[in-house]
């Protein structure tokens, strides 16, 4: 709350103190756009709306080529000789997804001399080195909101799968077995249990809304408390102290972005604070967890089950401990790439490319990082920006707050707010 007040005050006094940031605009002429997606192989033909794969490349090939642009699509993203590396020196735009992440390292950014724009088809741009992108003056944007329903629904499913001990029963059927007791001794109702989400942004709120009819006790820990009316409507109680919330929860769900604050948040010590027998669902990012600590807690039974679709790295190596730990219900990274989600993030990417070609701003909530022209803003601010975790802009203020601030101050350019607040939040943290 205090941070929000400071930020609001800051915007009131922003005025002319911040000079114009560079407008991201494609220079005239043909652009080289590279997209990195997962391969669908024989599955590509099974559904005309399966646009998120290499074979369909978000369905924008014809449109881009009709405008004279070059569009390269690949799934080959690893190692010095991969297809992605070959195109780094002359690409202007790189489209990546969190499902088959092309890790955009500082080294790769350095090689990509012509790169202006990094678009994430989906949500979560932690596979990009944002500090390096800021230093290089790149714009990073994602299709915010595109798959939040997809993930919230998936989390609800995972909670039920773990609490009802569903998977062992399914495996019995496949294996020709029948042993009710082997399942029933650790299967529970969801009703009456306490569920806590860490992060109650778009996905977290949607999950809480979906859980309300289950008659559970709902808790949330976030950097921001919801407005009282929304809190009441959702029916969840705010827990300012994460470590105080954890021992209360039968089910813990992680819904924060991966930032420097959340990387490794669930280490051995924090997992030890969870109630014995709690289950954890994590569709946010694998690196929020200490991999081995999760595997150990599942093996010891302190954690009764772990489910999620996010790993580090991705694809998960064959020897990843989560593949082999007991009571896990892991899948590849799938929750945010339903056909419905693909259509939404494909449309969002096309819209941003169109705006980029026309020199128009993107929807404000899509920006993760905005381009900074050298000398176009005060130098110390540029310097600050280059060294911070840019996700703080959204994760500290919350997108709703940020949007309402922008909406109430039409005279202030969004990019100015973005740059200034990012710098300001850094000093507040
Ligand atoms: N598995 C999948 O397919 C998908 C995964 N995701 C992951 O889910 C994350 C969340 O997505 P949205 O809900 O759309 O984002 P959002 O920005 O709407 O919400 C994130 C929430 O986390 C809170 N938060 C940030 N840092 C925190 C901290 N240190 N402690 C407590 N709360 C903190 C923010 O205040 C905000 O309320 C994404 O960043 C992404 O990593 C998103 C979409 C698909």
């Amino acid at each position: 709350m205090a941070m929000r007040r400071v930020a609001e005050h800051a915007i009131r006094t922003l005025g002319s103190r911040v000079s114009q940031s560079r407008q991201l605009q494609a220079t005239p002429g043909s652009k080289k756009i590279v997209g990195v997606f997962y391969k669908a192989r024989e599955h590509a033909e099974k559904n005309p709306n399966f646009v998120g794969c290499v074979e369909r490349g978000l369905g924008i090939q014809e449109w881009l080529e009709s405008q004279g642009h070059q569009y390269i699509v690949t799934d080959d993203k690893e190692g010095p000789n991969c297809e992605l590396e070959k195109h780094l020196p002359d690409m202007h735009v790189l489209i990546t997804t969190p499902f088959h992440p092309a890790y955009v390292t500082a080294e790769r950014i350095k090689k990509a001399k012509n790169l202006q724009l990094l678009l994430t088809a989906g949500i979560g741009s932690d596979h990009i080195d944002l500090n390096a992108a800021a230093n290089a003056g790149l714009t990073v944007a994602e299709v915010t909101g595109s798959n939040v329903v997809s993930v919230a629904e998936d989390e609800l499913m995972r909670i039920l799968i773990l609490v009802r001990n569903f998977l062992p029963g399914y495996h019995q059927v496949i294996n020709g077995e029948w042993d009710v007791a082997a399942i029933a001794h650790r299967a529970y109702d969801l009703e009456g249990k306490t569920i806590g989400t860490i992060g109650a942004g778009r996905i977290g709120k949607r999950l809480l809304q979906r859980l309300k009819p289950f008659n559970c006790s709902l808790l949330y820990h976030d950097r921001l408390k919801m407005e009282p009316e929304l809190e009441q409507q959702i029916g969840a109680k705010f827990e300012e102290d994460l470590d105080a919330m954890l021992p209360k929860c039968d089910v813990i769900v992680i819904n924060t972005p991966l930032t420097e604050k959340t990387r490794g948040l669930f280490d051995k010590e924090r997992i030890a604070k969870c109630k014995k027998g709690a289950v954890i669902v994590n569709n946010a990012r694998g690196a929020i967890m200490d991999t081995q600590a999760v595997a150990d807690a599942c093996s010891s039974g302190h954690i009764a089950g772990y489910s999620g679709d996010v790993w580090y790295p991705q694809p998960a190596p064959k020897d990843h401990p989560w593949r082999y730990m007991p009571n896990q219900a892991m899948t590849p990274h799938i929750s945010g790439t339903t056909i419905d989600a693909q259509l939404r993030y494909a449309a969002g990417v096309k819209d941003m490319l169109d705006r980029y070609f026309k020199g128009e701003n993107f929807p404000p909530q899509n920006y993760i990082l905005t381009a900074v022209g050298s000398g176009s803003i005060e130098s110390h601010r540029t310097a600050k920006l280059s060294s911070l975790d840019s996700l703080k802009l959204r994760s500290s203020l919350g997108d709703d707050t940020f949007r309402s601030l922008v909406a109430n101050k039409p005279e202030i350019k969004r990019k100015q707010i973005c740059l200034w607040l990012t710098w300001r939040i850094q000093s507040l943290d």
Side-chain angles (χ1 to χ4, degrees), residues 147 151 201-203 222-223 257 283-284 309 333 335-336 395 399:
N147 50 18
V151 178
R202 289 180 177 78
I203 297 171
D222 198 292
R223 301 172 78 168
N283 277 4
D309 70 341
H333 194 158
S335 66
S395 58
D399 286 317

Side-chain angles (χ1 to χ4, degrees), residues 98-99 122-126 142 144-148 151 155 198-205 221-224 242 254-259 261-262 265 282-285 288 309-310 333-337 391 394-399:
F99 314 106
I123 304 172
S125 300
D126 47 273
E142 56 191 41
T144 299
S146 56
N147 50 18
V148 293
V151 178
E155 288 176 346
I198 296 104
R202 289 180 177 78
I203 297 171
K205 284 195 190 88
H221 167 77
D222 198 292
R223 301 172 78 168
L224 289 170
L242 172 61
I254 299 166
N255 279 310
T256 61
L258 175 64
T259 67
K261 284 259 164 69
T262 61
L265 183 68
N282 175 19
N283 277 4
R285 283 297 177 262
I288 294 173
D309 70 341
V310 283
H333 194 158
I334 50 167
S335 66
T337 186
L391 286 177
R394 287 170 56 188
S395 58
S396 299
L397 283 182
D399 286 317

Side-chain angles (χ1 to χ4, degrees), residues 238-413:
F238 179 61
E239 294 275 342
E240 193 168 1
D241 181 355
L242 172 61
D243 290 333
M245 178 177 91
L246 291 179
K248 298 176 192 168
C249 297
D250 302 295
V251 178
I252 294 157
V253 191
I254 299 166
N255 279 310
T256 61
L258 175 64
T259 67
E260 288 319 310
K261 284 259 164 69
T262 61
R263 187 179 297 277
L265 183 68
F266 277 76
D267 56 10
K268 192 175 168 205
E269 287 70 39
R270 184 147 281 113
I271 290 174
K273 289 176 181 156
C274 301
K275 188 194 269 191
K276 183 170 165 47
V279 299
I280 300 179
V281 169
N282 175 19
N283 277 4
R285 283 297 177 262
I288 294 173
M289 317 303 289
D290 177 320
T291 303
Q292 196 53 50
V294 170
D296 292 346
C298 283
S299 298
S300 74
H302 183 69
I303 293 302
Y306 182 88
S307 182
D309 70 341
V310 283
W311 311 66
Y312 184 79
Q314 286 184 189
K318 289 230 159 59
D319 62 350
H320 196 292
W322 293 356
R323 289 183 186 266
Y324 307 103
M325 65 192 184
N327 302 317
Q328 55 91 353
M330 294 298 295
T331 64
H333 194 158
I334 50 167
S335 66
T337 186
T338 59
I339 295 294
D340 306 276
Q342 289 176 47
L343 292 173
R344 286 189 295 261
Y345 62 69
V349 166
K350 186 177 178 190
D351 174 61
M352 286 193 281
L353 284 172
D354 195 34
R355 289 169 188 253
Y356 162 67
F357 298 139
K358 290 176 179 160
E360 293 171 3
N361 284 332
F362 299 162
Q365 70 275 12
N366 286 8
Y367 283 99
I368 297 301
L369 191 70
T370 49
V372 184
S374 57
S376 66
I377 71 165
E378 292 168 30
S379 58
H380 70 277
R381 293 199 170 114
T382 316
K384 283 282 184 188
L385 183 71
S386 66
S387 66
L388 58 77
D389 172 4
S390 303
L391 286 177
K392 281 179 185 160
L393 172 64
R394 287 170 56 188
S395 58
S396 299
L397 283 182
D399 286 317
D400 293 344
T401 314
F402 179 61
R403 251 205 320 279
S404 70
L405 291 174
V406 177
N408 294 336
K409 299 273 177 283
E411 76 281 7
I412 299 176
K413 292 253 184 315

